[in-house]
Amino acid sequence: MCGATLSRLSDFDKNIVLVGFMGTGKSAVGRLLADRLKRPFVDLDGEIERTTGMSIPQIFAQYGEAEFRRLEKESVSRIATLKGHVIATGGGVVMDEENVQLLKSSGILICLTATPDAILQRILPTRSSRPLLLRGDPKERIAELMALRASYYAKADVTIDTTHRRPEEVAEEIIRSVGRIHG
Ligand code: S3P
Protein backbone atom coordinates (compact mmCIF):
# COMPACT_ATOMS: atom_id res chain seq x y z
CA MET A 1 0.00 0.00 0.00
CA CYS A 2 1.42 3.36 -0.96
CA GLY A 3 2.52 5.59 1.90
CA ALA A 4 0.73 8.61 0.39
CA THR A 5 -2.67 6.97 0.91
CA LEU A 6 -1.80 5.99 4.46
CA SER A 7 -0.62 9.47 5.36
CA ARG A 8 -3.71 11.06 3.73
CA LEU A 9 -5.84 8.78 5.88
CA SER A 10 -4.04 9.78 9.05
CA ASP A 11 -5.84 13.15 9.02
CA PHE A 12 -9.21 11.54 8.21
CA ASP A 13 -10.89 11.65 11.61
CA LYS A 14 -14.10 9.83 10.73
CA ASN A 15 -14.63 6.29 11.90
CA ILE A 16 -14.33 3.37 9.51
CA VAL A 17 -17.36 1.21 10.31
CA LEU A 18 -17.54 -2.39 9.13
CA VAL A 19 -21.00 -3.86 8.62
CA GLY A 20 -22.13 -7.09 6.96
CA PHE A 21 -23.44 -10.56 7.59
CA MET A 22 -22.02 -12.91 10.24
CA GLY A 23 -18.85 -14.61 9.06
CA THR A 24 -17.85 -11.99 6.51
CA GLY A 25 -14.73 -11.17 8.55
CA LYS A 26 -15.67 -7.85 10.18
CA SER A 27 -13.77 -8.44 13.42
CA ALA A 28 -10.66 -10.06 11.88
CA VAL A 29 -10.44 -7.44 9.11
CA GLY A 30 -11.23 -4.64 11.56
CA ARG A 31 -8.35 -5.57 13.86
CA LEU A 32 -5.91 -5.72 10.95
CA LEU A 33 -7.17 -2.47 9.52
CA ALA A 34 -6.86 -0.69 12.85
CA ASP A 35 -3.34 -2.00 13.22
CA ARG A 36 -2.42 -0.92 9.68
CA LEU A 37 -3.88 2.59 10.17
CA LYS A 38 -2.68 2.89 13.80
CA ARG A 39 -6.24 3.55 14.94
CA PRO A 40 -8.05 2.21 17.99
CA PHE A 41 -10.33 -0.74 17.28
CA VAL A 42 -13.79 -1.25 18.82
CA ASP A 43 -15.96 -4.32 18.44
CA LEU A 44 -19.64 -3.52 19.04
CA ASP A 45 -20.55 -7.01 20.30
CA GLY A 46 -17.45 -6.91 22.52
CA GLU A 47 -18.68 -3.60 23.98
CA ILE A 48 -22.10 -5.12 24.70
CA GLU A 49 -20.43 -8.08 26.41
CA ARG A 50 -18.17 -5.79 28.40
CA THR A 51 -20.94 -3.49 29.62
CA THR A 52 -23.39 -6.30 30.49
CA GLY A 53 -20.81 -8.79 31.76
CA MET A 54 -22.62 -11.42 29.66
CA SER A 55 -21.81 -13.20 26.40
CA ILE A 56 -24.00 -12.58 23.34
CA PRO A 57 -25.46 -16.13 23.49
CA GLN A 58 -26.25 -15.62 27.21
CA ILE A 59 -28.08 -12.35 26.45
CA PHE A 60 -30.15 -14.04 23.73
CA ALA A 61 -30.88 -17.06 25.93
CA GLN A 62 -31.86 -15.11 29.05
CA TYR A 63 -33.50 -11.99 27.64
CA GLY A 64 -34.23 -12.70 23.96
CA GLU A 65 -33.38 -10.92 20.72
CA ALA A 66 -35.45 -7.78 21.42
CA GLU A 67 -33.38 -7.00 24.55
CA PHE A 68 -30.15 -7.72 22.64
CA ARG A 69 -31.25 -5.20 19.96
CA ARG A 70 -31.98 -2.61 22.66
CA LEU A 71 -28.50 -3.08 24.15
CA GLU A 72 -27.00 -3.00 20.65
CA LYS A 73 -28.73 0.30 19.95
CA GLU A 74 -27.44 1.79 23.21
CA SER A 75 -23.91 0.75 22.28
CA VAL A 76 -24.28 2.24 18.80
CA SER A 77 -25.21 5.64 20.34
CA ARG A 78 -22.09 5.53 22.51
CA ILE A 79 -19.76 4.34 19.77
CA ALA A 80 -21.06 6.86 17.24
CA THR A 81 -19.56 9.65 19.38
CA LEU A 82 -16.03 8.29 18.79
CA LYS A 83 -13.66 9.71 16.20
CA GLY A 84 -10.90 8.11 14.16
CA HIS A 85 -11.70 4.54 15.22
CA VAL A 86 -12.16 1.32 13.29
CA ILE A 87 -15.48 -0.18 14.40
CA ALA A 88 -16.71 -3.73 13.74
CA THR A 89 -20.47 -4.15 14.18
CA GLY A 90 -22.73 -7.19 14.59
CA GLY A 91 -24.47 -8.53 11.49
CA GLY A 92 -27.93 -7.26 12.40
CA VAL A 93 -27.07 -3.68 13.38
CA VAL A 94 -28.15 -2.24 10.02
CA MET A 95 -31.74 -3.42 10.43
CA ASP A 96 -32.42 -0.39 12.60
CA GLU A 97 -32.60 2.78 10.53
CA GLU A 98 -31.47 5.00 13.44
CA ASN A 99 -28.38 2.83 13.91
CA VAL A 100 -27.54 3.25 10.22
CA GLN A 101 -28.00 7.03 10.38
CA LEU A 102 -25.88 7.36 13.53
CA LEU A 103 -23.09 5.16 12.19
CA LYS A 104 -23.15 6.98 8.83
CA SER A 105 -22.94 10.35 10.53
CA SER A 106 -19.91 9.14 12.50
CA GLY A 107 -18.00 7.63 9.62
CA ILE A 108 -17.78 5.71 6.41
CA LEU A 109 -19.75 2.44 6.21
CA ILE A 110 -17.98 -0.49 4.59
CA CYS A 111 -20.07 -3.61 3.99
CA LEU A 112 -18.25 -6.94 3.82
CA THR A 113 -19.98 -9.73 1.90
CA ALA A 114 -19.32 -13.40 1.15
CA THR A 115 -21.26 -16.23 -0.48
CA PRO A 116 -23.55 -18.33 1.76
CA ASP A 117 -21.18 -21.31 1.26
CA ALA A 118 -18.13 -19.35 2.40
CA ILE A 119 -20.08 -18.00 5.38
CA LEU A 120 -21.21 -21.50 6.32
CA GLN A 121 -17.63 -22.81 6.24
CA ARG A 122 -16.41 -19.92 8.36
CA ILE A 123 -19.11 -19.99 11.01
CA LEU A 124 -19.58 -23.75 11.46
CA PRO A 125 -16.74 -24.14 13.99
CA THR A 126 -18.19 -21.34 16.16
CA ARG A 127 -21.89 -21.81 15.39
CA SER A 128 -22.80 -21.99 19.09
CA SER A 129 -21.70 -18.37 19.50
CA ARG A 130 -24.30 -17.25 16.89
CA PRO A 131 -27.75 -17.65 18.46
CA LEU A 132 -29.57 -16.74 15.25
CA LEU A 133 -28.05 -19.74 13.45
CA LEU A 134 -28.83 -22.34 16.08
CA ARG A 135 -32.33 -23.20 14.88
CA GLY A 136 -32.90 -25.21 11.68
CA ASP A 137 -30.54 -25.93 8.84
CA PRO A 138 -27.73 -23.35 9.02
CA LYS A 139 -27.37 -23.02 5.25
CA GLU A 140 -31.07 -22.31 4.78
CA ARG A 141 -31.05 -19.92 7.72
CA ILE A 142 -28.08 -18.01 6.26
CA ALA A 143 -29.82 -17.72 2.85
CA GLU A 144 -33.07 -16.61 4.51
CA LEU A 145 -31.44 -13.95 6.73
CA MET A 146 -29.22 -12.71 3.88
CA ALA A 147 -32.24 -12.21 1.62
CA LEU A 148 -34.11 -10.37 4.39
CA ARG A 149 -31.16 -8.08 5.02
CA ALA A 150 -29.88 -7.39 1.49
CA SER A 151 -31.57 -3.99 1.17
CA TYR A 152 -30.15 -2.89 4.56
CA TYR A 153 -26.58 -3.84 3.70
CA ALA A 154 -26.99 -1.98 0.39
CA LYS A 155 -27.01 1.31 2.36
CA ALA A 156 -23.25 1.08 2.98
CA ASP A 157 -20.90 3.49 1.18
CA VAL A 158 -18.64 0.71 -0.10
CA THR A 159 -19.17 -3.06 -0.51
CA ILE A 160 -16.30 -5.53 -0.60
CA ASP A 161 -16.63 -9.25 -1.38
CA THR A 162 -14.39 -11.24 0.98
CA THR A 163 -15.19 -14.71 -0.41
CA HIS A 164 -11.81 -15.47 -1.97
CA ARG A 165 -9.72 -12.96 -0.07
CA ARG A 166 -7.56 -13.15 3.01
CA PRO A 167 -8.32 -10.57 5.76
CA GLU A 168 -5.04 -8.76 4.90
CA GLU A 169 -6.20 -8.30 1.28
CA VAL A 170 -9.59 -7.04 2.40
CA ALA A 171 -7.95 -4.55 4.78
CA GLU A 172 -5.77 -3.25 1.91
CA GLU A 173 -8.80 -2.85 -0.33
CA ILE A 174 -10.61 -0.89 2.38
CA ILE A 175 -7.61 1.44 2.72
CA ARG A 176 -7.65 2.01 -1.07
CA SER A 177 -11.43 2.61 -1.11
CA VAL A 178 -11.39 5.04 1.80
CA GLY A 179 -8.40 6.78 0.21
CA ARG A 180 -10.35 7.21 -3.07
CA ILE A 181 -13.43 8.59 -1.29
CA HIS A 182 -11.49 10.76 1.13
CA GLY A 183 -8.79 11.87 -1.34
C1 S3P B 1 -26.03 -11.02 14.76
C2 S3P B 1 -24.69 -11.12 14.52
C3 S3P B 1 -23.71 -11.34 15.57
C4 S3P B 1 -24.24 -10.83 16.92
C5 S3P B 1 -25.58 -11.42 17.21
C6 S3P B 1 -26.62 -11.08 16.13
C7 S3P B 1 -26.95 -10.81 13.62
O1 S3P B 1 -22.48 -10.66 15.28
O2 S3P B 1 -24.34 -9.44 16.91
O3 S3P B 1 -25.44 -12.81 17.32
O4 S3P B 1 -28.10 -10.40 13.83
O5 S3P B 1 -26.52 -11.04 12.46
P1 S3P B 1 -21.44 -11.13 14.12
O6 S3P B 1 -21.96 -10.56 12.83
O7 S3P B 1 -20.17 -10.52 14.54
O8 S3P B 1 -21.43 -12.62 14.14
Side-chain angles (χ1 to χ4, degrees):
M1 167 56 48
C2 85
T5 304
L6 282 178
S7 70
R8 260 207 326 274
L9 289 183
S10 64
D11 55 77
F12 174 70
D13 76 342
K14 290 195 152 207
N15 296 316
I16 299 177
V17 183
L18 304 183
V19 299
F21 202 78
M22 294 172 260
T24 51
K26 300 175 299 279
S27 302
V29 169
R31 275 194 192 89
L32 281 169
L33 185 63
D35 200 47
R36 200 77 183 78
L37 296 175
K38 300 189 175 43
R39 286 175 173 230
F41 172 71
V42 183
D43 183 88
L44 188 68
D45 281 345
E47 278 300 294
I48 297 169
E49 294 186 325
R50 193 179 58 78
T51 51
T52 59
M54 294 170 79
S55 71
I56 303 296
Q58 277 173 340
I59 298 171
F60 269 79
Q62 284 192 33
Y63 302 113
E65 181 174 353
E67 175 62 7
F68 170 75
R69 297 297 172 202
R70 194 191 64 74
L71 293 165
E72 185 177 51
K73 196 165 173 146
E74 254 178 31
S75 287
V76 168
S77 336
R78 274 197 307 274
I79 274 176
T81 62
L82 299 171
K83 287 202 186 321
H85 282 58
V86 173
I87 299 170
T89 62
V93 80
V94 293
M95 292 189 304
D96 181 299
E97 183 56 29
E98 283 173 8
N99 284 348
V100 174
Q101 289 315 319
L102 268 180
L103 291 170
K104 271 202 168 191
S105 68
S106 90
I108 178 166
L109 245 64
I110 312 278
C111 181
L112 303 187
T113 65
T115 60
D117 278 334
I119 287 174
L120 185 66
Q121 294 314 312
R122 292 177 191 170
I123 57 105
L124 270 183
T126 54
R127 189 180 169 200
S128 61
S129 68
R130 268 123 176 165
L132 291 181
L133 299 180
L134 288 179
R135 265 178 291 121
D137 174 68
K139 193 165 176 185
E140 282 172 17
R141 190 79 178 120
I142 289 168
E144 180 193 344
L145 285 174
M146 274 180 123
L148 272 174
R149 294 175 175 186
S151 62
Y152 298 100
Y153 293 135
K155 293 177 186 169
D157 300 297
V158 176
T159 298
I160 297 176
D161 185 357
T162 69
T163 306
H164 301 294
R165 292 187 175 123
R166 287 179 296 114
E168 291 79 4
E169 294 171 303
V170 179
E172 288 298 322
E173 179 156 354
I174 294 173
I175 293 172
R176 278 194 294 274
S177 300
V178 178
R180 271 197 298 273
I181 293 172
H182 175 58

PDB file of all heavy atoms in Angstrom, residues 22 26 45 56 60 68-69 72 89-92 130-132 149, ligand 1:
ATOM      1  N   MET A  22     -22.916 -12.088   9.396  1.00  0.00           N
ATOM      2  CA  MET A  22     -22.024 -12.910  10.241  1.00  0.00           C
ATOM      3  C   MET A  22     -21.045 -13.678   9.349  1.00  0.00           C
ATOM      4  O   MET A  22     -21.432 -14.142   8.276  1.00  0.00           O
ATOM      5  CB  MET A  22     -22.863 -13.960  11.002  1.00  0.00           C
ATOM      6  CG  MET A  22     -23.804 -13.378  12.004  1.00  0.00           C
ATOM      7  SD  MET A  22     -24.930 -14.647  12.697  1.00  0.00           S
ATOM      8  CE  MET A  22     -26.419 -14.368  11.741  1.00  0.00           C
ATOM      9  N   LYS A  26     -15.711  -9.229   9.653  1.00  0.00           N
ATOM     10  CA  LYS A  26     -15.667  -7.854  10.176  1.00  0.00           C
ATOM     11  C   LYS A  26     -14.650  -7.684  11.309  1.00  0.00           C
ATOM     12  O   LYS A  26     -13.870  -6.732  11.301  1.00  0.00           O
ATOM     13  CB  LYS A  26     -17.067  -7.424  10.667  1.00  0.00           C
ATOM     14  CG  LYS A  26     -18.141  -7.447   9.589  1.00  0.00           C
ATOM     15  CD  LYS A  26     -19.518  -7.124  10.148  1.00  0.00           C
ATOM     16  CE  LYS A  26     -20.036  -8.060  11.195  1.00  0.00           C
ATOM     17  NZ  LYS A  26     -20.654  -9.315  10.782  1.00  0.00           N
ATOM     18  N   ASP A  45     -20.091  -5.888  19.453  1.00  0.00           N
ATOM     19  CA  ASP A  45     -20.548  -7.006  20.299  1.00  0.00           C
ATOM     20  C   ASP A  45     -19.675  -7.110  21.552  1.00  0.00           C
ATOM     21  O   ASP A  45     -20.168  -7.412  22.644  1.00  0.00           O
ATOM     22  CB  ASP A  45     -20.495  -8.332  19.528  1.00  0.00           C
ATOM     23  CG  ASP A  45     -21.693  -8.492  18.593  1.00  0.00           C
ATOM     24  OD1 ASP A  45     -22.678  -7.746  18.750  1.00  0.00           O
ATOM     25  OD2 ASP A  45     -21.639  -9.370  17.713  1.00  0.00           O
ATOM     26  N   ILE A  56     -22.848 -12.795  24.230  1.00  0.00           N
ATOM     27  CA  ILE A  56     -23.998 -12.579  23.336  1.00  0.00           C
ATOM     28  C   ILE A  56     -24.975 -13.770  23.423  1.00  0.00           C
ATOM     29  O   ILE A  56     -26.188 -13.552  23.586  1.00  0.00           O
ATOM     30  CB  ILE A  56     -23.530 -12.331  21.873  1.00  0.00           C
ATOM     31  CG1 ILE A  56     -22.565 -11.134  21.803  1.00  0.00           C
ATOM     32  CG2 ILE A  56     -24.715 -12.152  20.923  1.00  0.00           C
ATOM     33  CD1 ILE A  56     -23.136  -9.791  22.174  1.00  0.00           C
ATOM     34  N   PHE A  60     -29.035 -13.505  24.520  1.00  0.00           N
ATOM     35  CA  PHE A  60     -30.153 -14.043  23.728  1.00  0.00           C
ATOM     36  C   PHE A  60     -30.935 -15.076  24.538  1.00  0.00           C
ATOM     37  O   PHE A  60     -32.162 -15.077  24.540  1.00  0.00           O
ATOM     38  CB  PHE A  60     -29.629 -14.713  22.437  1.00  0.00           C
ATOM     39  CG  PHE A  60     -29.539 -13.777  21.251  1.00  0.00           C
ATOM     40  CD1 PHE A  60     -28.480 -12.883  21.118  1.00  0.00           C
ATOM     41  CD2 PHE A  60     -30.500 -13.802  20.255  1.00  0.00           C
ATOM     42  CE1 PHE A  60     -28.384 -12.022  20.027  1.00  0.00           C
ATOM     43  CE2 PHE A  60     -30.412 -12.955  19.147  1.00  0.00           C
ATOM     44  CZ  PHE A  60     -29.354 -12.066  19.038  1.00  0.00           C
ATOM     45  N   PHE A  68     -31.484  -7.860  23.256  1.00  0.00           N
ATOM     46  CA  PHE A  68     -30.154  -7.716  22.638  1.00  0.00           C
ATOM     47  C   PHE A  68     -30.144  -6.502  21.713  1.00  0.00           C
ATOM     48  O   PHE A  68     -29.214  -5.698  21.723  1.00  0.00           O
ATOM     49  CB  PHE A  68     -29.774  -8.982  21.857  1.00  0.00           C
ATOM     50  CG  PHE A  68     -28.536  -8.783  21.018  1.00  0.00           C
ATOM     51  CD1 PHE A  68     -27.284  -8.740  21.614  1.00  0.00           C
ATOM     52  CD2 PHE A  68     -28.628  -8.579  19.648  1.00  0.00           C
ATOM     53  CE1 PHE A  68     -26.133  -8.504  20.850  1.00  0.00           C
ATOM     54  CE2 PHE A  68     -27.489  -8.344  18.887  1.00  0.00           C
ATOM     55  CZ  PHE A  68     -26.241  -8.315  19.494  1.00  0.00           C
ATOM     56  N   ARG A  69     -31.209  -6.335  20.903  1.00  0.00           N
ATOM     57  CA  ARG A  69     -31.252  -5.197  19.957  1.00  0.00           C
ATOM     58  C   ARG A  69     -31.288  -3.861  20.703  1.00  0.00           C
ATOM     59  O   ARG A  69     -30.736  -2.866  20.254  1.00  0.00           O
ATOM     60  CB  ARG A  69     -32.469  -5.315  19.028  1.00  0.00           C
ATOM     61  CG  ARG A  69     -32.461  -6.535  18.126  1.00  0.00           C
ATOM     62  CD  ARG A  69     -31.299  -6.545  17.146  1.00  0.00           C
ATOM     63  NE  ARG A  69     -31.221  -7.817  16.426  1.00  0.00           N
ATOM     64  CZ  ARG A  69     -30.124  -8.277  15.838  1.00  0.00           C
ATOM     65  NH1 ARG A  69     -28.997  -7.576  15.874  1.00  0.00           N
ATOM     66  NH2 ARG A  69     -30.119  -9.423  15.222  1.00  0.00           N
ATOM     67  N   GLU A  72     -27.817  -3.288  21.836  1.00  0.00           N
ATOM     68  CA  GLU A  72     -27.003  -2.998  20.648  1.00  0.00           C
ATOM     69  C   GLU A  72     -27.177  -1.532  20.252  1.00  0.00           C
ATOM     70  O   GLU A  72     -26.211  -0.824  19.958  1.00  0.00           O
ATOM     71  CB  GLU A  72     -27.468  -3.932  19.521  1.00  0.00           C
ATOM     72  CG  GLU A  72     -26.641  -3.856  18.246  1.00  0.00           C
ATOM     73  CD  GLU A  72     -27.128  -4.873  17.200  1.00  0.00           C
ATOM     74  OE1 GLU A  72     -28.333  -4.923  16.887  1.00  0.00           O
ATOM     75  OE2 GLU A  72     -26.277  -5.638  16.687  1.00  0.00           O
ATOM     76  N   THR A  89     -19.121  -4.039  13.615  1.00  0.00           N
ATOM     77  CA  THR A  89     -20.465  -4.151  14.182  1.00  0.00           C
ATOM     78  C   THR A  89     -20.962  -5.594  14.065  1.00  0.00           C
ATOM     79  O   THR A  89     -20.374  -6.404  13.364  1.00  0.00           O
ATOM     80  CB  THR A  89     -21.440  -3.231  13.417  1.00  0.00           C
ATOM     81  OG1 THR A  89     -21.492  -3.657  12.055  1.00  0.00           O
ATOM     82  CG2 THR A  89     -21.004  -1.783  13.490  1.00  0.00           C
ATOM     83  N   GLY A  90     -22.087  -5.881  14.731  1.00  0.00           N
ATOM     84  CA  GLY A  90     -22.727  -7.190  14.585  1.00  0.00           C
ATOM     85  C   GLY A  90     -23.563  -7.196  13.304  1.00  0.00           C
ATOM     86  O   GLY A  90     -23.979  -6.139  12.811  1.00  0.00           O
ATOM     87  N   GLY A  91     -23.819  -8.398  12.790  1.00  0.00           N
ATOM     88  CA  GLY A  91     -24.472  -8.531  11.486  1.00  0.00           C
ATOM     89  C   GLY A  91     -25.858  -7.925  11.358  1.00  0.00           C
ATOM     90  O   GLY A  91     -26.301  -7.601  10.258  1.00  0.00           O
ATOM     91  N   GLY A  92     -26.558  -7.734  12.500  1.00  0.00           N
ATOM     92  CA  GLY A  92     -27.930  -7.256  12.399  1.00  0.00           C
ATOM     93  C   GLY A  92     -28.089  -5.774  12.691  1.00  0.00           C
ATOM     94  O   GLY A  92     -29.198  -5.247  12.668  1.00  0.00           O
ATOM     95  N   ARG A 130     -23.380 -18.053  17.713  1.00  0.00           N
ATOM     96  CA  ARG A 130     -24.304 -17.251  16.894  1.00  0.00           C
ATOM     97  C   ARG A 130     -25.740 -17.723  17.094  1.00  0.00           C
ATOM     98  O   ARG A 130     -26.230 -18.591  16.367  1.00  0.00           O
ATOM     99  CB  ARG A 130     -23.915 -17.352  15.427  1.00  0.00           C
ATOM    100  CG  ARG A 130     -22.975 -16.244  15.034  1.00  0.00           C
ATOM    101  CD  ARG A 130     -21.735 -16.713  14.492  1.00  0.00           C
ATOM    102  NE  ARG A 130     -20.931 -15.590  14.044  1.00  0.00           N
ATOM    103  CZ  ARG A 130     -19.656 -15.724  13.782  1.00  0.00           C
ATOM    104  NH1 ARG A 130     -19.061 -16.884  13.920  1.00  0.00           N
ATOM    105  NH2 ARG A 130     -18.960 -14.702  13.380  1.00  0.00           N
ATOM    106  N   PRO A 131     -26.419 -17.172  18.088  1.00  0.00           N
ATOM    107  CA  PRO A 131     -27.748 -17.654  18.458  1.00  0.00           C
ATOM    108  C   PRO A 131     -28.730 -17.702  17.289  1.00  0.00           C
ATOM    109  O   PRO A 131     -29.589 -18.572  17.242  1.00  0.00           O
ATOM    110  CB  PRO A 131     -28.229 -16.652  19.508  1.00  0.00           C
ATOM    111  CG  PRO A 131     -27.040 -15.840  19.893  1.00  0.00           C
ATOM    112  CD  PRO A 131     -25.976 -16.017  18.891  1.00  0.00           C
ATOM    113  N   LEU A 132     -28.581 -16.778  16.325  1.00  0.00           N
ATOM    114  CA  LEU A 132     -29.566 -16.736  15.246  1.00  0.00           C
ATOM    115  C   LEU A 132     -29.409 -17.906  14.278  1.00  0.00           C
ATOM    116  O   LEU A 132     -30.275 -18.150  13.444  1.00  0.00           O
ATOM    117  CB  LEU A 132     -29.452 -15.420  14.466  1.00  0.00           C
ATOM    118  CG  LEU A 132     -29.888 -14.174  15.218  1.00  0.00           C
ATOM    119  CD1 LEU A 132     -29.741 -12.952  14.339  1.00  0.00           C
ATOM    120  CD2 LEU A 132     -31.338 -14.306  15.680  1.00  0.00           C
ATOM    121  N   ARG A 149     -32.005  -9.232   4.655  1.00  0.00           N
ATOM    122  CA  ARG A 149     -31.164  -8.080   5.018  1.00  0.00           C
ATOM    123  C   ARG A 149     -30.493  -7.366   3.844  1.00  0.00           C
ATOM    124  O   ARG A 149     -29.855  -6.334   4.048  1.00  0.00           O
ATOM    125  CB  ARG A 149     -30.060  -8.551   5.975  1.00  0.00           C
ATOM    126  CG  ARG A 149     -30.625  -9.000   7.292  1.00  0.00           C
ATOM    127  CD  ARG A 149     -29.548  -9.559   8.158  1.00  0.00           C
ATOM    128  NE  ARG A 149     -30.051  -9.898   9.473  1.00  0.00           N
ATOM    129  CZ  ARG A 149     -29.286 -10.299  10.472  1.00  0.00           C
ATOM    130  NH1 ARG A 149     -27.980 -10.426  10.283  1.00  0.00           N
ATOM    131  NH2 ARG A 149     -29.810 -10.586  11.635  1.00  0.00           N
TER     132      ARG A 149
HETATM  133  C1  S3P B   1     -26.035 -11.022  14.757  1.00  0.00           C
HETATM  134  C2  S3P B   1     -24.686 -11.119  14.521  1.00  0.00           C
HETATM  135  C3  S3P B   1     -23.708 -11.340  15.569  1.00  0.00           C
HETATM  136  C4  S3P B   1     -24.239 -10.834  16.925  1.00  0.00           C
HETATM  137  C5  S3P B   1     -25.578 -11.415  17.209  1.00  0.00           C
HETATM  138  C6  S3P B   1     -26.617 -11.080  16.130  1.00  0.00           C
HETATM  139  C7  S3P B   1     -26.952 -10.812  13.617  1.00  0.00           C
HETATM  140  O1  S3P B   1     -22.482 -10.657  15.279  1.00  0.00           O
HETATM  141  O2  S3P B   1     -24.343  -9.435  16.906  1.00  0.00           O
HETATM  142  O3  S3P B   1     -25.439 -12.811  17.322  1.00  0.00           O
HETATM  143  O4  S3P B   1     -28.103 -10.402  13.832  1.00  0.00           O
HETATM  144  O5  S3P B   1     -26.523 -11.039  12.460  1.00  0.00           O
HETATM  145  P1  S3P B   1     -21.444 -11.134  14.116  1.00  0.00           P
HETATM  146  O6  S3P B   1     -21.958 -10.561  12.834  1.00  0.00           O
HETATM  147  O7  S3P B   1     -20.166 -10.520  14.537  1.00  0.00           O
HETATM  148  O8  S3P B   1     -21.428 -12.621  14.137  1.00  0.00           O
END
